[in-house]
Amino acid sequence: LWAEWLAEFPSVAVRLGAVACDVETEGGRIAAVLWREAQDAMGDLDPDRPGPLHRAGARVLVDATYEGDVPACADAPWRLGRGPRSAEE
């Protein structure tokens, strides 16, 4: 379903199987993510053959990794978990 919705926005690129390796910053913000293609479904990289390094730069970058890999690469503050659903949480 989300792929159908996303198709309405041709300027949005989704990278499945991309492993964040590093980031580029500009003025205190993440400007680009440097990534490699995962070698398997678990997101592993082969240390002997890591493959080429790719660059994804944009005004807005969304980290949809499970554990916040992109802010961790930037040494930015982040936390694991969901946000509160109400003011009381």
Side-chain angles (χ1 to χ4, degrees):
L1 185 63
W2 71 270
E4 290 176 19
W5 173 78
L6 207 52
E8 297 177 25
F9 304 93
S11 64
V12 174
V14 176
R15 303 285 183 236
L16 301 176
V19 178
C21 298
D22 203 356
V23 297
E24 295 175 1
T25 59
E26 289 178 5
R29 71 175 197 86
I30 297 172
V33 177
L34 305 176
W35 60 276
R36 288 193 163 92
E37 197 71 41
Q39 302 293 317
D40 58 31
M42 297 301 294
D44 295 320
L45 296 174
D46 183 344
D48 297 323
R49 297 178 48 190
L53 193 61
H54 303 279
R55 181 183 183 279
R59 287 183 296 156
V60 176
L61 293 163
V62 176
D63 178 2
T65 63
Y66 182 70
E67 296 178 325
D69 297 340
V70 175
C73 286
D75 292 326
W78 61 279
R79 70 182 179 118
L80 183 61
R82 66 169 177 79
R85 290 182 272 195
S86 68
E88 290 79 33
E89 276 192 285

